mmCIF file with all atom_site columns, all heavy atoms in Angstrom:
data_model
loop_
_atom_site.group_PDB
_atom_site.id
_atom_site.type_symbol
_atom_site.label_atom_id
_atom_site.label_alt_id
_atom_site.label_comp_id
_atom_site.label_asym_id
_atom_site.label_entity_id
_atom_site.label_seq_id
_atom_site.pdbx_PDB_ins_code
_atom_site.Cartn_x
_atom_site.Cartn_y
_atom_site.Cartn_z
_atom_site.occupancy
_atom_site.B_iso_or_equiv
_atom_site.pdbx_formal_charge
_atom_site.auth_seq_id
_atom_site.auth_comp_id
_atom_site.auth_asym_id
_atom_site.auth_atom_id
_atom_site.pdbx_PDB_model_num
ATOM 1   N N   . SER O 1 1  ? 11.738 15.337 72.968  1.00 0.00 ? 3  SER O N   1
ATOM 2   C CA  . SER O 1 1  ? 11.430 15.072 74.368  1.00 0.00 ? 3  SER O CA  1
ATOM 3   C C   . SER O 1 1  ? 10.509 13.853 74.462  1.00 0.00 ? 3  SER O C   1
ATOM 4   O O   . SER O 1 1  ? 10.336 13.110 73.491  1.00 0.00 ? 3  SER O O   1
ATOM 5   C CB  . SER O 1 1  ? 10.789 16.303 75.016  1.00 0.00 ? 3  SER O CB  1
ATOM 6   O OG  . SER O 1 1  ? 10.531 16.070 76.379  1.00 0.00 ? 3  SER O OG  1
ATOM 7   N N   . PHE O 1 2  ? 9.859  13.684 75.625  1.00 0.00 ? 4  PHE O N   1
ATOM 8   C CA  . PHE O 1 2  ? 9.106  12.474 75.913  1.00 0.00 ? 4  PHE O CA  1
ATOM 9   C C   . PHE O 1 2  ? 7.684  12.812 76.388  1.00 0.00 ? 4  PHE O C   1
ATOM 10  O O   . PHE O 1 2  ? 7.346  13.989 76.552  1.00 0.00 ? 4  PHE O O   1
ATOM 11  C CB  . PHE O 1 2  ? 9.850  11.658 76.965  1.00 0.00 ? 4  PHE O CB  1
ATOM 12  C CG  . PHE O 1 2  ? 11.266 11.345 76.580  1.00 0.00 ? 4  PHE O CG  1
ATOM 13  C CD1 . PHE O 1 2  ? 12.332 11.775 77.356  1.00 0.00 ? 4  PHE O CD1 1
ATOM 14  C CD2 . PHE O 1 2  ? 11.537 10.640 75.418  1.00 0.00 ? 4  PHE O CD2 1
ATOM 15  C CE1 . PHE O 1 2  ? 13.642 11.486 76.992  1.00 0.00 ? 4  PHE O CE1 1
ATOM 16  C CE2 . PHE O 1 2  ? 12.841 10.346 75.039  1.00 0.00 ? 4  PHE O CE2 1
ATOM 17  C CZ  . PHE O 1 2  ? 13.894 10.773 75.827  1.00 0.00 ? 4  PHE O CZ  1
ATOM 18  N N   . PRO O 1 3  ? 6.824  11.808 76.645  1.00 0.00 ? 5  PRO O N   1
ATOM 19  C CA  . PRO O 1 3  ? 5.438  12.074 77.071  1.00 0.00 ? 5  PRO O CA  1
ATOM 20  C C   . PRO O 1 3  ? 5.379  12.914 78.344  1.00 0.00 ? 5  PRO O C   1
ATOM 21  O O   . PRO O 1 3  ? 6.220  12.772 79.238  1.00 0.00 ? 5  PRO O O   1
ATOM 22  C CB  . PRO O 1 3  ? 4.872  10.675 77.304  1.00 0.00 ? 5  PRO O CB  1
ATOM 23  C CG  . PRO O 1 3  ? 5.682  9.786  76.444  1.00 0.00 ? 5  PRO O CG  1
ATOM 24  C CD  . PRO O 1 3  ? 7.062  10.368 76.458  1.00 0.00 ? 5  PRO O CD  1
ATOM 25  N N   . VAL O 1 4  ? 4.384  13.776 78.425  1.00 0.00 ? 6  VAL O N   1
ATOM 26  C CA  . VAL O 1 4  ? 4.213  14.638 79.595  1.00 0.00 ? 6  VAL O CA  1
ATOM 27  C C   . VAL O 1 4  ? 2.911  14.299 80.304  1.00 0.00 ? 6  VAL O C   1
ATOM 28  O O   . VAL O 1 4  ? 1.977  13.763 79.711  1.00 0.00 ? 6  VAL O O   1
ATOM 29  C CB  . VAL O 1 4  ? 4.209  16.134 79.208  1.00 0.00 ? 6  VAL O CB  1
ATOM 30  C CG1 . VAL O 1 4  ? 5.527  16.542 78.611  1.00 0.00 ? 6  VAL O CG1 1
ATOM 31  C CG2 . VAL O 1 4  ? 3.070  16.448 78.241  1.00 0.00 ? 6  VAL O CG2 1
ATOM 32  N N   . THR O 1 5  ? 2.876  14.621 81.575  1.00 0.00 ? 7  THR O N   1
ATOM 33  C CA  . THR O 1 5  ? 1.661  14.460 82.370  1.00 0.00 ? 7  THR O CA  1
ATOM 34  C C   . THR O 1 5  ? 1.677  15.493 83.481  1.00 0.00 ? 7  THR O C   1
ATOM 35  O O   . THR O 1 5  ? 2.708  16.109 83.770  1.00 0.00 ? 7  THR O O   1
ATOM 36  C CB  . THR O 1 5  ? 1.570  13.045 82.961  1.00 0.00 ? 7  THR O CB  1
ATOM 37  O OG1 . THR O 1 5  ? 0.292  12.859 83.568  1.00 0.00 ? 7  THR O OG1 1
ATOM 38  C CG2 . THR O 1 5  ? 2.638  12.836 84.027  1.00 0.00 ? 7  THR O CG2 1
ATOM 39  N N   . THR O 1 6  ? 0.527  15.687 84.110  1.00 0.00 ? 8  THR O N   1
ATOM 40  C CA  . THR O 1 6  ? 0.435  16.628 85.220  1.00 0.00 ? 8  THR O CA  1
ATOM 41  C C   . THR O 1 6  ? 1.240  16.111 86.409  1.00 0.00 ? 8  THR O C   1
ATOM 42  O O   . THR O 1 6  ? 1.106  14.952 86.786  1.00 0.00 ? 8  THR O O   1
ATOM 43  C CB  . THR O 1 6  ? -1.041 16.821 85.626  1.00 0.00 ? 8  THR O CB  1
ATOM 44  O OG1 . THR O 1 6  ? -1.769 17.291 84.492  1.00 0.00 ? 8  THR O OG1 1
ATOM 45  C CG2 . THR O 1 6  ? -1.165 17.820 86.754  1.00 0.00 ? 8  THR O CG2 1
ATOM 46  N N   . PHE O 1 7  ? 2.054  16.969 87.010  1.00 0.00 ? 9  PHE O N   1
ATOM 47  C CA  . PHE O 1 7  ? 2.878  16.572 88.146  1.00 0.00 ? 9  PHE O CA  1
ATOM 48  C C   . PHE O 1 7  ? 2.058  16.617 89.432  1.00 0.00 ? 9  PHE O C   1
ATOM 49  O O   . PHE O 1 7  ? 1.543  17.669 89.819  1.00 0.00 ? 9  PHE O O   1
ATOM 50  C CB  . PHE O 1 7  ? 4.087  17.505 88.271  1.00 0.00 ? 9  PHE O CB  1
ATOM 51  C CG  . PHE O 1 7  ? 5.325  16.971 87.609  1.00 0.00 ? 9  PHE O CG  1
ATOM 52  C CD1 . PHE O 1 7  ? 5.243  16.028 86.600  1.00 0.00 ? 9  PHE O CD1 1
ATOM 53  C CD2 . PHE O 1 7  ? 6.574  17.408 87.998  1.00 0.00 ? 9  PHE O CD2 1
ATOM 54  C CE1 . PHE O 1 7  ? 6.385  15.537 85.984  1.00 0.00 ? 9  PHE O CE1 1
ATOM 55  C CE2 . PHE O 1 7  ? 7.729  16.927 87.391  1.00 0.00 ? 9  PHE O CE2 1
ATOM 56  C CZ  . PHE O 1 7  ? 7.624  15.983 86.385  1.00 0.00 ? 9  PHE O CZ  1
ATOM 57  N N   . ALA O 1 8  ? 1.970  15.465 90.095  1.00 0.00 ? 10 ALA O N   1
ATOM 58  C CA  . ALA O 1 8  ? 1.176  15.387 91.317  1.00 0.00 ? 10 ALA O CA  1
ATOM 59  C C   . ALA O 1 8  ? 1.735  16.267 92.430  1.00 0.00 ? 10 ALA O C   1
ATOM 60  O O   . ALA O 1 8  ? 0.984  16.818 93.240  1.00 0.00 ? 10 ALA O O   1
ATOM 61  C CB  . ALA O 1 8  ? 1.089  13.936 91.787  1.00 0.00 ? 10 ALA O CB  1
ATOM 62  N N   . GLY O 1 9  ? 3.059  16.411 92.475  1.00 0.00 ? 11 GLY O N   1
ATOM 63  C CA  . GLY O 1 9  ? 3.647  17.230 93.530  1.00 0.00 ? 11 GLY O CA  1
ATOM 64  C C   . GLY O 1 9  ? 3.150  18.659 93.526  1.00 0.00 ? 11 GLY O C   1
ATOM 65  O O   . GLY O 1 9  ? 3.146  19.334 94.560  1.00 0.00 ? 11 GLY O O   1
ATOM 66  N N   . ASN O 1 10 ? 2.701  19.116 92.371  1.00 0.00 ? 12 ASN O N   1
ATOM 67  C CA  . ASN O 1 10 ? 2.163  20.469 92.268  1.00 0.00 ? 12 ASN O CA  1
ATOM 68  C C   . ASN O 1 10 ? 0.940  20.664 93.159  1.00 0.00 ? 12 ASN O C   1
ATOM 69  O O   . ASN O 1 10 ? 0.672  21.762 93.646  1.00 0.00 ? 12 ASN O O   1
ATOM 70  C CB  . ASN O 1 10 ? 1.803  20.749 90.800  1.00 0.00 ? 12 ASN O CB  1
ATOM 71  C CG  . ASN O 1 10 ? 1.273  22.136 90.592  1.00 0.00 ? 12 ASN O CG  1
ATOM 72  O OD1 . ASN O 1 10 ? 2.003  23.106 90.676  1.00 0.00 ? 12 ASN O OD1 1
ATOM 73  N ND2 . ASN O 1 10 ? -0.014 22.239 90.309  1.00 0.00 ? 12 ASN O ND2 1
ATOM 74  N N   . ILE O 1 11 ? 0.180  19.578 93.366  1.00 0.00 ? 13 ILE O N   1
ATOM 75  C CA  . ILE O 1 11 ? -1.001 19.648 94.246  1.00 0.00 ? 13 ILE O CA  1
ATOM 76  C C   . ILE O 1 11 ? -0.565 20.121 95.629  1.00 0.00 ? 13 ILE O C   1
ATOM 77  O O   . ILE O 1 11 ? -1.156 21.034 96.218  1.00 0.00 ? 13 ILE O O   1
ATOM 78  C CB  . ILE O 1 11 ? -1.671 18.268 94.355  1.00 0.00 ? 13 ILE O CB  1
ATOM 79  C CG1 . ILE O 1 11 ? -2.092 17.748 92.980  1.00 0.00 ? 13 ILE O CG1 1
ATOM 80  C CG2 . ILE O 1 11 ? -2.870 18.327 95.304  1.00 0.00 ? 13 ILE O CG2 1
ATOM 81  C CD1 . ILE O 1 11 ? -2.493 16.295 92.985  1.00 0.00 ? 13 ILE O CD1 1
ATOM 82  N N   . GLY O 1 12 ? 0.473  19.471 96.156  1.00 0.00 ? 14 GLY O N   1
ATOM 83  C CA  . GLY O 1 12 ? 0.938  19.826 97.488  1.00 0.00 ? 14 GLY O CA  1
ATOM 84  C C   . GLY O 1 12 ? 1.453  21.243 97.576  1.00 0.00 ? 14 GLY O C   1
ATOM 85  O O   . GLY O 1 12 ? 1.203  21.944 98.558  1.00 0.00 ? 14 GLY O O   1
ATOM 86  N N   . LEU O 1 13 ? 2.161  21.686 96.539  1.00 0.00 ? 15 LEU O N   1
ATOM 87  C CA  . LEU O 1 13 ? 2.725  23.039 96.571  1.00 0.00 ? 15 LEU O CA  1
ATOM 88  C C   . LEU O 1 13 ? 1.628  24.098 96.543  1.00 0.00 ? 15 LEU O C   1
ATOM 89  O O   . LEU O 1 13 ? 1.680  25.081 97.295  1.00 0.00 ? 15 LEU O O   1
ATOM 90  C CB  . LEU O 1 13 ? 3.683  23.234 95.399  1.00 0.00 ? 15 LEU O CB  1
ATOM 91  C CG  . LEU O 1 13 ? 4.477  24.546 95.393  1.00 0.00 ? 15 LEU O CG  1
ATOM 92  C CD1 . LEU O 1 13 ? 5.286  24.693 96.676  1.00 0.00 ? 15 LEU O CD1 1
ATOM 93  C CD2 . LEU O 1 13 ? 5.405  24.616 94.186  1.00 0.00 ? 15 LEU O CD2 1
ATOM 94  N N   . VAL O 1 14 ? 0.626  23.913 95.699  1.00 0.00 ? 16 VAL O N   1
ATOM 95  C CA  . VAL O 1 14 ? -0.480 24.879 95.630  1.00 0.00 ? 16 VAL O CA  1
ATOM 96  C C   . VAL O 1 14 ? -1.220 24.918 96.957  1.00 0.00 ? 16 VAL O C   1
ATOM 97  O O   . VAL O 1 14 ? -1.590 25.987 97.452  1.00 0.00 ? 16 VAL O O   1
ATOM 98  C CB  . VAL O 1 14 ? -1.439 24.523 94.478  1.00 0.00 ? 16 VAL O CB  1
ATOM 99  C CG1 . VAL O 1 14 ? -2.662 25.440 94.494  1.00 0.00 ? 16 VAL O CG1 1
ATOM 100 C CG2 . VAL O 1 14 ? -0.731 24.645 93.139  1.00 0.00 ? 16 VAL O CG2 1
ATOM 101 N N   . ARG O 1 15 ? -1.428 23.751 97.556  1.00 0.00 ? 17 ARG O N   1
ATOM 102 C CA  . ARG O 1 15 ? -2.157 23.707 98.830  1.00 0.00 ? 17 ARG O CA  1
ATOM 103 C C   . ARG O 1 15 ? -1.346 24.321 99.970  1.00 0.00 ? 17 ARG O C   1
ATOM 104 O O   . ARG O 1 15 ? -1.879 25.075 100.784 1.00 0.00 ? 17 ARG O O   1
ATOM 105 C CB  . ARG O 1 15 ? -2.508 22.251 99.163  1.00 0.00 ? 17 ARG O CB  1
ATOM 106 C CG  . ARG O 1 15 ? -3.271 22.088 100.487 1.00 0.00 ? 17 ARG O CG  1
ATOM 107 C CD  . ARG O 1 15 ? -4.622 22.782 100.421 1.00 0.00 ? 17 ARG O CD  1
ATOM 108 N NE  . ARG O 1 15 ? -5.321 22.715 101.698 1.00 0.00 ? 17 ARG O NE  1
ATOM 109 C CZ  . ARG O 1 15 ? -5.143 23.583 102.684 1.00 0.00 ? 17 ARG O CZ  1
ATOM 110 N NH1 . ARG O 1 15 ? -4.281 24.590 102.548 1.00 0.00 ? 17 ARG O NH1 1
ATOM 111 N NH2 . ARG O 1 15 ? -5.818 23.465 103.807 1.00 0.00 ? 17 ARG O NH2 1
ATOM 112 N N   . LEU O 1 16 ? -0.050 24.008 100.038 1.00 0.00 ? 18 LEU O N   1
ATOM 113 C CA  . LEU O 1 16 ? 0.784  24.516 101.128 1.00 0.00 ? 18 LEU O CA  1
ATOM 114 C C   . LEU O 1 16 ? 0.986  26.024 101.038 1.00 0.00 ? 18 LEU O C   1
ATOM 115 O O   . LEU O 1 16 ? 0.922  26.729 102.044 1.00 0.00 ? 18 LEU O O   1
ATOM 116 C CB  . LEU O 1 16 ? 2.147  23.821 101.113 1.00 0.00 ? 18 LEU O CB  1
ATOM 117 C CG  . LEU O 1 16 ? 2.277  22.497 101.862 1.00 0.00 ? 18 LEU O CG  1
ATOM 118 C CD1 . LEU O 1 16 ? 3.679  21.940 101.686 1.00 0.00 ? 18 LEU O CD1 1
ATOM 119 C CD2 . LEU O 1 16 ? 1.957  22.659 103.339 1.00 0.00 ? 18 LEU O CD2 1
ATOM 120 N N   . THR O 1 17 ? 1.237  26.521 99.834  1.00 0.00 ? 19 THR O N   1
ATOM 121 C CA  . THR O 1 17 ? 1.537  27.943 99.673  1.00 0.00 ? 19 THR O CA  1
ATOM 122 C C   . THR O 1 17 ? 0.284  28.803 99.640  1.00 0.00 ? 19 THR O C   1
ATOM 123 O O   . THR O 1 17 ? 0.354  30.010 99.857  1.00 0.00 ? 19 THR O O   1
ATOM 124 C CB  . THR O 1 17 ? 2.321  28.195 98.378  1.00 0.00 ? 19 THR O CB  1
ATOM 125 O OG1 . THR O 1 17 ? 1.523  27.800 97.253  1.00 0.00 ? 19 THR O OG1 1
ATOM 126 C CG2 . THR O 1 17 ? 3.617  27.400 98.375  1.00 0.00 ? 19 THR O CG2 1
ATOM 127 N N   . ARG O 1 18 ? -0.849 28.193 99.321  1.00 0.00 ? 20 ARG O N   1
ATOM 128 C CA  . ARG O 1 18 ? -2.128 28.903 99.172  1.00 0.00 ? 20 ARG O CA  1
ATOM 129 C C   . ARG O 1 18 ? -2.080 29.918 98.026  1.00 0.00 ? 20 ARG O C   1
ATOM 130 O O   . ARG O 1 18 ? -2.889 30.831 97.965  1.00 0.00 ? 20 ARG O O   1
ATOM 131 C CB  . ARG O 1 18 ? -2.525 29.604 100.485 1.00 0.00 ? 20 ARG O CB  1
ATOM 132 C CG  . ARG O 1 18 ? -2.576 28.689 101.674 1.00 0.00 ? 20 ARG O CG  1
ATOM 133 C CD  . ARG O 1 18 ? -2.975 29.419 102.952 1.00 0.00 ? 20 ARG O CD  1
ATOM 134 N NE  . ARG O 1 18 ? -2.080 30.524 103.282 1.00 0.00 ? 20 ARG O NE  1
ATOM 135 C CZ  . ARG O 1 18 ? -0.889 30.365 103.843 1.00 0.00 ? 20 ARG O CZ  1
ATOM 136 N NH1 . ARG O 1 18 ? -0.438 29.177 104.142 1.00 0.00 ? 20 ARG O NH1 1
ATOM 137 N NH2 . ARG O 1 18 ? -0.133 31.409 104.128 1.00 0.00 ? 20 ARG O NH2 1
ATOM 138 N N   . VAL O 1 19 ? -1.102 29.755 97.128  1.00 0.00 ? 21 VAL O N   1
ATOM 139 C CA  . VAL O 1 19 ? -1.005 30.604 95.944  1.00 0.00 ? 21 VAL O CA  1
ATOM 140 C C   . VAL O 1 19 ? -1.716 29.864 94.816  1.00 0.00 ? 21 VAL O C   1
ATOM 141 O O   . VAL O 1 19 ? -1.197 28.892 94.279  1.00 0.00 ? 21 VAL O O   1
ATOM 142 C CB  . VAL O 1 19 ? 0.461  30.881 95.571  1.00 0.00 ? 21 VAL O CB  1
ATOM 143 C CG1 . VAL O 1 19 ? 0.527  31.736 94.308  1.00 0.00 ? 21 VAL O CG1 1
ATOM 144 C CG2 . VAL O 1 19 ? 1.167  31.591 96.721  1.00 0.00 ? 21 VAL O CG2 1
ATOM 145 N N   . ARG O 1 20 ? -2.903 30.323 94.452  1.00 0.00 ? 22 ARG O N   1
ATOM 146 C CA  . ARG O 1 20 ? -3.761 29.548 93.567  1.00 0.00 ? 22 ARG O CA  1
ATOM 147 C C   . ARG O 1 20 ? -3.856 30.140 92.161  1.00 0.00 ? 22 ARG O C   1
ATOM 148 O O   . ARG O 1 20 ? -4.698 29.750 91.383  1.00 0.00 ? 22 ARG O O   1
ATOM 149 C CB  . ARG O 1 20 ? -5.159 29.435 94.181  1.00 0.00 ? 22 ARG O CB  1
ATOM 150 C CG  . ARG O 1 20 ? -5.127 28.943 95.628  1.00 0.00 ? 22 ARG O CG  1
ATOM 151 C CD  . ARG O 1 20 ? -6.482 28.621 96.175  1.00 0.00 ? 22 ARG O CD  1
ATOM 152 N NE  . ARG O 1 20 ? -7.360 29.773 96.230  1.00 0.00 ? 22 ARG O NE  1
ATOM 153 C CZ  . ARG O 1 20 ? -8.621 29.732 96.654  1.00 0.00 ? 22 ARG O CZ  1
ATOM 154 N NH1 . ARG O 1 20 ? -9.137 28.594 97.031  1.00 0.00 ? 22 ARG O NH1 1
ATOM 155 N NH2 . ARG O 1 20 ? -9.355 30.820 96.679  1.00 0.00 ? 22 ARG O NH2 1
ATOM 156 N N   . SER O 1 21 ? -2.958 31.054 91.841  1.00 0.00 ? 23 SER O N   1
ATOM 157 C CA  . SER O 1 21 ? -2.988 31.702 90.531  1.00 0.00 ? 23 SER O CA  1
ATOM 158 C C   . SER O 1 21 ? -2.369 30.808 89.466  1.00 0.00 ? 23 SER O C   1
ATOM 159 O O   . SER O 1 21 ? -1.228 30.358 89.608  1.00 0.00 ? 23 SER O O   1
ATOM 160 C CB  . SER O 1 21 ? -2.224 33.029 90.592  1.00 0.00 ? 23 SER O CB  1
ATOM 161 O OG  . SER O 1 21 ? -2.022 33.535 89.289  1.00 0.00 ? 23 SER O OG  1
ATOM 162 N N   . ARG O 1 22 ? -3.094 30.574 88.396  1.00 0.00 ? 24 ARG O N   1
ATOM 163 C CA  . ARG O 1 22 ? -2.534 29.779 87.295  1.00 0.00 ? 24 ARG O CA  1
ATOM 164 C C   . ARG O 1 22 ? -1.424 30.548 86.579  1.00 0.00 ? 24 ARG O C   1
ATOM 165 O O   . ARG O 1 22 ? -0.584 29.952 85.900  1.00 0.00 ? 24 ARG O O   1
ATOM 166 C CB  . ARG O 1 22 ? -3.627 29.367 86.318  1.00 0.00 ? 24 ARG O CB  1
ATOM 167 C CG  . ARG O 1 22 ? -4.348 30.520 85.624  1.00 0.00 ? 24 ARG O CG  1
ATOM 168 C CD  . ARG O 1 22 ? -5.568 29.988 84.873  1.00 0.00 ? 24 ARG O CD  1
ATOM 169 N NE  . ARG O 1 22 ? -6.378 31.063 84.303  1.00 0.00 ? 24 ARG O NE  1
ATOM 170 C CZ  . ARG O 1 22 ? -6.523 31.278 82.999  1.00 0.00 ? 24 ARG O CZ  1
ATOM 171 N NH1 . ARG O 1 22 ? -5.921 30.493 82.133  1.00 0.00 ? 24 ARG O NH1 1
ATOM 172 N NH2 . ARG O 1 22 ? -7.288 32.253 82.567  1.00 0.00 ? 24 ARG O NH2 1
ATOM 173 N N   . TRP O 1 23 ? -1.425 31.871 86.720  1.00 0.00 ? 25 TRP O N   1
ATOM 174 C CA  . TRP O 1 23 ? -0.392 32.667 86.062  1.00 0.00 ? 25 TRP O CA  1
ATOM 175 C C   . TRP O 1 23 ? 0.968  32.481 86.728  1.00 0.00 ? 25 TRP O C   1
ATOM 176 O O   . TRP O 1 23 ? 2.011  32.687 86.105  1.00 0.00 ? 25 TRP O O   1
ATOM 177 C CB  . TRP O 1 23 ? -0.805 34.136 86.040  1.00 0.00 ? 25 TRP O CB  1
ATOM 178 C CG  . TRP O 1 23 ? -2.097 34.309 85.315  1.00 0.00 ? 25 TRP O CG  1
ATOM 179 C CD1 . TRP O 1 23 ? -3.321 34.588 85.856  1.00 0.00 ? 25 TRP O CD1 1
ATOM 180 C CD2 . TRP O 1 23 ? -2.309 34.164 83.903  1.00 0.00 ? 25 TRP O CD2 1
ATOM 181 N NE1 . TRP O 1 23 ? -4.275 34.626 84.874  1.00 0.00 ? 25 TRP O NE1 1
ATOM 182 C CE2 . TRP O 1 23 ? -3.690 34.376 83.660  1.00 0.00 ? 25 TRP O CE2 1
ATOM 183 C CE3 . TRP O 1 23 ? -1.474 33.883 82.834  1.00 0.00 ? 25 TRP O CE3 1
ATOM 184 C CZ2 . TRP O 1 23 ? -4.238 34.307 82.390  1.00 0.00 ? 25 TRP O CZ2 1
ATOM 185 C CZ3 . TRP O 1 23 ? -2.027 33.815 81.560  1.00 0.00 ? 25 TRP O CZ3 1
ATOM 186 C CH2 . TRP O 1 23 ? -3.391 34.032 81.354  1.00 0.00 ? 25 TRP O CH2 1
ATOM 187 N N   . VAL O 1 24 ? 0.970  32.086 87.995  1.00 0.00 ? 26 VAL O N   1
ATOM 188 C CA  . VAL O 1 24 ? 2.228  31.738 88.657  1.00 0.00 ? 26 VAL O CA  1
ATOM 189 C C   . VAL O 1 24 ? 2.841  30.508 87.984  1.00 0.00 ? 26 VAL O C   1
ATOM 190 O O   . VAL O 1 24 ? 4.041  30.456 87.698  1.00 0.00 ? 26 VAL O O   1
ATOM 191 C CB  . VAL O 1 24 ? 1.987  31.472 90.155  1.00 0.00 ? 26 VAL O CB  1
ATOM 192 C CG1 . VAL O 1 24 ? 3.189  30.757 90.782  1.00 0.00 ? 26 VAL O CG1 1
ATOM 193 C CG2 . VAL O 1 24 ? 1.719  32.773 90.891  1.00 0.00 ? 26 VAL O CG2 1
ATOM 194 N N   . VAL O 1 25 ? 2.004  29.509 87.721  1.00 0.00 ? 27 VAL O N   1
ATOM 195 C CA  . VAL O 1 25 ? 2.493  28.297 87.062  1.00 0.00 ? 27 VAL O CA  1
ATOM 196 C C   . VAL O 1 25 ? 2.887  28.610 85.615  1.00 0.00 ? 27 VAL O C   1
ATOM 197 O O   . VAL O 1 25 ? 3.849  28.046 85.091  1.00 0.00 ? 27 VAL O O   1
ATOM 198 C CB  . VAL O 1 25 ? 1.431  27.188 87.126  1.00 0.00 ? 27 VAL O CB  1
ATOM 199 C CG1 . VAL O 1 25 ? 1.929  25.928 86.431  1.00 0.00 ? 27 VAL O CG1 1
ATOM 200 C CG2 . VAL O 1 25 ? 1.079  26.878 88.576  1.00 0.00 ? 27 VAL O CG2 1
ATOM 201 N N   . ALA O 1 26 ? 2.143  29.510 84.984  1.00 0.00 ? 28 ALA O N   1
ATOM 202 C CA  . ALA O 1 26 ? 2.523  29.926 83.628  1.00 0.00 ? 28 ALA O CA  1
ATOM 203 C C   . ALA O 1 26 ? 3.912  30.560 83.638  1.00 0.00 ? 28 ALA O C   1
ATOM 204 O O   . ALA O 1 26 ? 4.719  30.344 82.723  1.00 0.00 ? 28 ALA O O   1
ATOM 205 C CB  . ALA O 1 26 ? 1.492  30.903 83.074  1.00 0.00 ? 28 ALA O CB  1
ATOM 206 N N   . THR O 1 27 ? 4.204  31.342 84.684  1.00 0.00 ? 29 THR O N   1
ATOM 207 C CA  . THR O 1 27 ? 5.539  31.938 84.816  1.00 0.00 ? 29 THR O CA  1
ATOM 208 C C   . THR O 1 27 ? 6.599  30.853 84.945  1.00 0.00 ? 29 THR O C   1
ATOM 209 O O   . THR O 1 27 ? 7.688  30.949 84.353  1.00 0.00 ? 29 THR O O   1
ATOM 210 C CB  . THR O 1 27 ? 5.584  32.864 86.047  1.00 0.00 ? 29 THR O CB  1
ATOM 211 O OG1 . THR O 1 27 ? 4.565  33.866 85.924  1.00 0.00 ? 29 THR O OG1 1
ATOM 212 C CG2 . THR O 1 27 ? 6.934  33.542 86.170  1.00 0.00 ? 29 THR O CG2 1
ATOM 213 N N   . ALA O 1 28 ? 6.282  29.799 85.715  1.00 0.00 ? 30 ALA O N   1
ATOM 214 C CA  . ALA O 1 28 ? 7.207  28.669 85.822  1.00 0.00 ? 30 ALA O CA  1
ATOM 215 C C   . ALA O 1 28 ? 7.426  28.034 84.454  1.00 0.00 ? 30 ALA O C   1
ATOM 216 O O   . ALA O 1 28 ? 8.545  27.624 84.120  1.00 0.00 ? 30 ALA O O   1
ATOM 217 C CB  . ALA O 1 28 ? 6.666  27.637 86.809  1.00 0.00 ? 30 ALA O CB  1
ATOM 218 N N   . GLY O 1 29 ? 6.354  27.955 83.655  1.00 0.00 ? 31 GLY O N   1
ATOM 219 C CA  . GLY O 1 29 ? 6.479  27.418 82.301  1.00 0.00 ? 31 GLY O CA  1
ATOM 220 C C   . GLY O 1 29 ? 7.410  28.256 81.438  1.00 0.00 ? 31 GLY O C   1
ATOM 221 O O   . GLY O 1 29 ? 8.216  27.718 80.664  1.00 0.00 ? 31 GLY O O   1
#
């Protein structure tokens, strides 16, 4: 694969949904 970085769009999704659990993102992983 290739270099990775934090996705900026995630900022908007966390703010809009108000779901602030890191375990939700871990599930996405």
